């Protein structure tokens, strides 16, 4: 086992003044500390372990462990459309798990949860391997007293033929960067090929006109043109580049109020994005998309941004209850319905919504709120106090349409009514969402320094990623 590449030896020494940290992966049963294990270090899980580490881990009131399967860093998912379009370099936004654990009093364990033993209170992790197939970490089990599952969601392609092979989803930074590389390669190919640009070449089809698809369409419209200005003179943007946004519902942004949908649709059409509503994709090929009405959308680049589900592993977690999209069914207290020691937060949790027949929507603000609530809940649990229900507060929704505008609705605090916003104010509110997340992870000073550092970095390089 190559321990250096896994970073596990460093990780074992990470927490601050907690009781002696075991070097083995399995936390010994005889530890006197309450063992809190959080699986998934995304918007919800990473905020949760940071809070718990600060409040309980540092002062040895509990042992806090994060299990995370993705790369060694966290990038906030709502930034991924900008990574895909090349307008944002993820390096400036990454939070390193090892460093975060070291600074905030929790342990980070690299690995994918593949199973659970509720009787023995153990989470099973698969072994991990590097790009050359060398093992990084062996498969192992981690014991818990309180387990919080926060493994988010993945794209749901509803089994549509050809999507997995030909379309790129935007679930991870790696996928967003992969799409961006495809886009740059497509531009270089068009610039250097012998013949003229073919029909469908340099066309992008985005399936799903929710916030992600609509934001990506606007952002790509700009960045593709920006790339071409760097000497790719054989490409004529007006003639060759084409973006089509495809939505099965009868309007784009179907989950948001009509006014936001109308404003976004109008803006996208004005800048030249083709919007096709009421269009259901039945298959994808290497050349484009087949629609239910029999038509074919020729397109070299395909993005699938329609629908989410929770990861399949949740279906087989020792009998925990899941709904039809694999989410763990939880009580309003965030406890799983079948085990009071197991909780779920974020996109992977089906949490009842007060005053509403549905569940809390899979959104960043819900992940943030649930992380804060869960941290308080665990402190109450340790003190033997009854758990409190989580109540979702909808602050509204904002859709950023690149440099053109931002539109959305904000919920009035007193009236409880939705207020339509757009322009600079909406843009500032949109950016503040990311700042709230960064502040939860690193405090106010670090969040502000990050903003300044990135503003300076933007002045020293191209506004679009070119590699
Ligand atoms: C492109 C895009 C744009 C978005 N834009 C917005 C927006 O503008 N506004 C908004 O409110 N919401 C937005 N969302 C939704 C928002 O990002 C999610 O609601 C939020 O990230 C959910 O947080 P989470 O912690 O539940 O899941 P995630 O942030 O997805 O984190 C889950 C973590 O669990 C890890 N994991 C998964 N499986 C395992 C496993 N088996 N073992 C160990 N670790 C595992 C993953 O690697 C990941 O780090 C967007 C989502 C996407 C994909």
């Amino acid at each position: 086992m190559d321990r250096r590449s896994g970073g596990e030896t460093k990780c074992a020494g990470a927490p601050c003044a907690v009781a002696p940290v075991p070097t083995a992966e399995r936390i010994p049963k005889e530890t006197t500390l309450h063992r809190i294990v959080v699986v998934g270090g995304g918007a919800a899980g990473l905020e949760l372990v940071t809070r718990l580490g600060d409040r309980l881990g540092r002062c040895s009131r509990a042992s806090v462990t994060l299990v995370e399967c993705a790369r060694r860093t966290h990038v906030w998912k709502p930034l991924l459309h900008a990574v895909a379009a090349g307008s944002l370099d993820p390096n400036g936004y990454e939070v390193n798990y090892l460093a975060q654990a070291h600074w905030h009093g929790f342990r980070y364990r690299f690995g994918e949860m593949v199973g659970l033993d509720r009787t023995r209170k153990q989470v099973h992790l698969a072994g991990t391997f590097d790009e050359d197939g060398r093992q990084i970490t062996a498969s192992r089990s981690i014991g818990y007293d309180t387990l919080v599952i926060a493994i988010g969601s993945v794209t749901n392609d509803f089994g549509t033929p050809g999507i997995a092979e030909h379309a790129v989803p935007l679930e991870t930074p790696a996928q967003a960067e992969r799409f961006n590389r495809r886009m740059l390669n497509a531009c270089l190919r068009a610039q250097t090929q012998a013949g003229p640009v073919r029909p469908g070449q340099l066309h992008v089809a985005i399936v799903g006109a929710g916030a992600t698809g609509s934001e990506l369409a606007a952002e790509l419209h700009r960045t593709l043109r920006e790339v071409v200005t760097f000497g790719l003179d054989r490409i004529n943007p007006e003639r060759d580049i084409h973006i089509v946004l495809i939505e099965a519902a009868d309007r784009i942004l179907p989950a948001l109020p009509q006014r936001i949908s109308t404003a976004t649709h109008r803006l996208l059409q004005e800048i030249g994005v083709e919007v096709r509503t009421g269009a259901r994709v039945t298959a994808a090929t290497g050349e484009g998309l087949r629609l239910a009405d029999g038509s074919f959308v020729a397109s070299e680049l395909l993005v699938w941004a329609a629908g989410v589900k929770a990861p399949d592993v949740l279906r087989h977690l020792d009998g925990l209850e899941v709904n039809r999209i694999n989410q763990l069914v939880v009580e309003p207290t965030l406890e799983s319905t079948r085990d009071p020691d197991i909780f779920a937060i974020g996109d992977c949790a089906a949490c009842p919504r007060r005053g509403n027949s549905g569940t809390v929507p899979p959104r960043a603000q819900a992940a943030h709120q649930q992380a804060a609530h869960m941290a308080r809940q665990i402190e109450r649990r340790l003190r033997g106090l009854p758990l409190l229900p989580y109540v979702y507060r909808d602050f509204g929704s904002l859709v950023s349409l690149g440099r053109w505008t931002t539109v959305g609705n904000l919920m009035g605090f007193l009236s409880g009514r939705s207020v339509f916003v757009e322009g600079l104010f909406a843009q500032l509110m949109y950016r503040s969402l990311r700042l709230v997340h960064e502040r939860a992870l690193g405090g106010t000073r670090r969040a502000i320094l990050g903003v300044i550092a990135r503003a300076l970095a933007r002045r020293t390089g191209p506004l679009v990623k070119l590699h």
Side-chain angles (χ1 to χ4, degrees), residues 40 42-44 68-70 77-78 111-113 150-152 170 212 346-347 362-364:
E68 166 60 50
C69 69
K77 265 185 169 182
E112 180 183 1
M113 175 179 73
I151 62 174
L170 293 185
T212 302
D347 285 7
R363 291 168 61 183

Side-chain angles (χ1 to χ4, degrees), residues 39-45 67-70 74 76-81 97 111-114 150-153 170-171 211-212 215 311 313 345-348 362-365 367 398 430 433:
V39 185
V67 172
E68 166 60 50
C69 69
H74 157 78
W76 196 52
K77 265 185 169 182
L79 299 176
L80 294 184
H81 72 280
Y97 286 120
E112 180 183 1
M113 175 179 73
V114 286
I151 62 174
S153 55
L170 293 185
E171 290 153 19
T212 302
E215 290 181 344
V313 64
I345 58 172
D347 285 7
C348 73
R363 291 168 61 183
Q365 57 176 308
L398 294 161
Y430 182 87
L433 280 175

Side-chain angles (χ1 to χ4, degrees), residues 311-322:
D312 289 339
V313 64
L314 296 175
R315 301 188 75 77
H316 314 288
L317 278 192
D318 203 0
L320 293 179
E321 186 185 1
V322 289

Side-chain angles (χ1 to χ4, degrees), residues 106-261:
F106 66 89
R107 278 178 265 189
Y108 157 57
R109 295 293 180 258
F110 175 45
E112 180 183 1
M113 175 179 73
V114 286
L116 179 67
D117 184 334
R118 291 202 281 138
T119 314
R120 301 170 105 176
K121 293 190 182 297
Q122 286 184 339
V123 179
H124 302 314
L125 308 190
T128 58
F129 299 85
D130 67 16
E131 313 72 59
D132 305 318
R134 277 187 305 174
Q135 190 173 66
I136 303 171
T137 55
S139 58
R140 60 212 195 277
S141 301
I142 292 189
Y144 65 85
D145 296 308
T146 298
L147 175 65
V148 183
I149 299 177
I151 62 174
S153 55
V154 293
T155 306
N156 190 353
D157 67 13
F158 308 102
T160 311
I163 292 299
E165 296 85 347
H166 302 291
V168 181
L170 293 185
E171 290 153 19
T172 64
Q175 288 165 345
E177 288 180 286
R178 188 166 124 229
F179 175 80
N180 185 250
R181 277 195 304 279
R182 279 193 189 183
M183 174 187 123
L184 291 173
N185 289 343
C187 291
L188 292 175
R189 195 178 301 121
Q191 170 71 17
T192 52
Q193 71 194 21
V197 173
R198 296 183 308 276
Q201 193 181 353
L202 286 180
H203 288 201
V204 186
I206 302 166
V207 187
T212 302
S214 304
E215 290 181 344
L216 178 65
E219 201 73 27
L220 271 177
H221 178 82
R222 178 178 72 82
T223 55
L224 266 165
R225 281 163 173 73
E226 194 106 23
V227 169
V228 168
T229 61
F230 284 85
L232 304 187
D233 51 4
R234 290 191 58 210
I235 301 172
N236 176 344
E238 301 320 313
R239 186 194 60 208
D240 301 328
I241 294 175
H242 186 67
I243 296 168
V244 52
L245 182 61
I246 298 169
E247 170 58 49
D250 60 0
R251 65 176 174 96
I252 67 166
L253 299 168
L256 300 187
Q258 176 75 50
R259 191 168 173 192
I260 304 176
S261 167

Side-chain angles (χ1 to χ4, degrees), residues 311-390:
D312 289 339
V313 64
L314 296 175
R315 301 188 75 77
H316 314 288
L317 278 192
D318 203 0
L320 293 179
E321 186 185 1
V322 289
N323 66 9
R324 108 196 122 72
I325 57 163
N326 300 346
Q327 287 175 307
L328 283 177
V329 182
V330 296
E331 306 286 357
T333 53
L334 303 174
E335 275 169 291
S336 63
T337 47
R338 298 197 181 141
D339 193 324
D341 296 327
I342 301 180
F343 297 75
I345 58 172
D347 285 7
C348 73
C351 176
R353 190 167 169 183
R354 184 188 277 182
N356 189 305
S357 58
T359 54
V360 173
R363 291 168 61 183
Q365 57 176 308
H368 172 71
Q369 292 170 21
Q370 289 183 344
H373 187 82
M374 192 69 236
R376 288 192 291 271
Q377 215 62 324
I378 289 180
E379 290 201 62
R380 292 182 70 83
R381 190 170 144 83
L382 293 183
R383 300 204 324 256
L385 297 172
L387 300 183
L388 299 175
Y390 160 71

Side-chain angles (χ1 to χ4, degrees), residues 71-94:
R71 304 197 307 186
R72 313 296 156 74
T73 58
H74 157 78
V75 175
W76 196 52
K77 265 185 169 182
L79 299 176
L80 294 184
H81 72 280
V83 176
S87 52
L88 184 144
D89 183 349
N91 293 334
Y93 295 80
E94 285 174 323

